[in-house]
Amino acid sequence: MTPCPQLLLGLCMVAAAWAETPGVVVIDGPLMDRILSSGGAAFIKFDTSPCARCTGLDAAWEALAAEFPGLVARVDCVQTPDVCAARHVVFDGEDPQPAMKFWTGSGFRRYTGPHELDYLRFYVQSKLAPPEASPTDGAPSTAPPRPLHDPRRTQRDDLRQAVWLLFLYASGLILFLVLVRRAVWYLRSPAEDPGWLLVVSSAGAPLVPSPTGYAPRGGDTGGGLFAFRVEPATALATPIAFHTSAHAALGHLCALLAPRALWLRGWLPCYILHAAAECCSPDGARAGGVVSLFLDARRAPCLRLIRTEAVGGDGAACVHVAAGADGALAPA
């Protein structure tokens, strides 16, 4: 394959131009085109006038050109504005600064580091080094490269990993203890199998004062609530809870769904029981009342007394209790 005569001529002209100027090469439009098409490297300073910073950099730029012959060049943006515009070089009108770009043979890399000769030399050397040894483009660093194995960094990583593992271990232990506590609570709670729950109120006689304490009136016992579990298949009733109601004989019973705030874990429902009662105070006075209890077969105990509310005066009796549409009680 015969080389193109025009390409050989262009390369020769570029080589001749660089060879004739051992210092800083001044680039115009045609020479810039030949440099970009040749595939070689070049460190180019774009400056303007008046520009104090550009003039202050001339001495370091000349010294850099002496160390790297044929590599360091400049473009006068006043004489060749089209060359600077094509490279997107724009100067600040109040405080212009030179723009320095390194042509790698395939693209420009802007230099943003200090203007001292040592930094410029280090930057050029890093760009001319093999690709695997070239540092990141941008401002050069005078610090030596970090070794692959840094003992201090390894210690920090080990400490960070140890703290993270300790946190995970503590979190897992706390979660395990919570689950164990919940499991123990479930094991101690009554088993909840499919079936019916039957609640019966006993209508015994109230207790009255006696020389030895309280005794059932007429030899009878006080009232109470019995909770039974009924097997669907056999219809057998098994007692699971009993709550005595001292000084009261319970009668009519009414069951309501408890407020959601009382539900187990917020989604397992429970109930409130209201029973009409004939209450007896320690001094022997009788009056009607309503006994309210909390019922949840999943908890132990299943029945818990909430309160006893007297209804009517002395000698009155409450024989029936009902709940309205809004849940309000209506004793009678």
Side-chain angles (χ1 to χ4, degrees):
M1 179 177 178
T2 304
C4 178
Q6 289 82 0
L7 178 59
L8 293 177
L9 178 60
L11 293 177
C12 293
M13 293 176 64
V14 172
W18 291 91
E20 293 175 358
T21 55
V24 177
V25 180
V26 179
I27 300 178
D28 54 8
L31 183 56
M32 175 66 78
D33 295 337
R34 292 194 295 271
I35 293 174
L36 300 183
S37 61
S38 65
F43 195 19
I44 306 173
K45 175 170 71 78
F46 299 85
D47 54 16
T48 183
S49 61
C51 175
R53 296 178 181 268
C54 301
T55 306
L57 185 60
D58 288 344
W61 207 248
E62 293 287 348
L64 187 66
E67 296 184 17
F68 300 93
L71 182 69
V72 181
R74 66 177 292 268
V75 176
D76 188 351
C77 294
V78 177
Q79 300 294 330
T80 54
D82 54 334
V83 176
C84 299
R87 309 285 88 77
H88 306 286
V89 176
V90 180
F91 297 97
D92 187 357
E94 297 180 357
D95 186 20
Q97 298 187 19
M100 289 166 282
K101 295 187 177 185
F102 192 93
W103 173 253
T104 62
S106 59
F108 278 104
R109 298 293 182 268
R110 190 181 188 93
Y111 174 80
T112 58
H115 292 179
E116 284 76 8
L117 178 60
D118 293 338
Y119 291 94
L120 296 172
R121 181 189 301 113
F122 182 84
Y123 180 75
V124 173
Q125 290 174 348
S126 65
K127 287 301 180 182
L128 297 179
E132 61 273 11
S134 176
T136 304
D137 294 331
S141 173
T142 57
R146 177 178 295 177
L148 296 179
H149 177 71
D150 189 348
R152 292 177 299 176
R153 185 176 183 181
T154 303
Q155 293 177 358
R156 290 194 299 268
D157 294 342
D158 293 343
L159 179 61
R160 188 181 299 109
Q161 184 178 7
V163 172
W164 178 247
L165 292 177
L166 180 63
F167 172 76
L168 293 179
Y169 174 78
S171 302
L173 180 61
I174 293 175
L175 179 61
F176 174 76
L177 294 178
V178 171
L179 294 178
V180 169
R181 183 179 179 183
R182 180 62 62 180
V184 172
W185 183 86
Y186 273 114
L187 292 175
R188 296 180 60 184
S189 300
E192 182 188 3
D193 297 327
W196 293 91
L197 184 65
L198 176 64
V199 181
V200 180
S201 64
S202 65
L207 300 178
V208 296
S210 67
T212 59
Y214 291 92
R217 186 178 61 185
D220 202 351
T221 59
L225 285 182
F226 296 85
F228 298 88
R229 183 183 181 277
V230 181
E231 298 288 346
T234 61
L236 295 178
T238 303
I240 60 174
F242 171 71
H243 189 281
T244 59
S245 179
H247 319 309
L250 301 181
H252 187 268
L253 183 66
C254 175
L256 297 174
L257 188 64
R260 195 177 185 89
L262 299 178
W263 291 13
L264 182 62
R265 293 197 303 274
W267 60 278
L268 296 175
C270 53
Y271 301 90
I272 302 295
L273 305 181
H274 303 285
E278 181 186 1
C279 303
C280 180
S281 61
D283 58 2
R286 298 174 55 197
V290 177
V291 178
S292 300
L293 301 103
F294 176 81
L295 172 63
D296 189 347
R298 304 175 185 86
R299 305 186 187 186
C302 298
L303 291 172
R304 298 201 311 269
L305 178 65
I306 300 177
R307 66 175 182 173
T308 300
E309 187 72 25
V311 179
D314 186 17
C318 180
V319 298
H320 186 81
V321 62
D326 56 353
L329 292 178

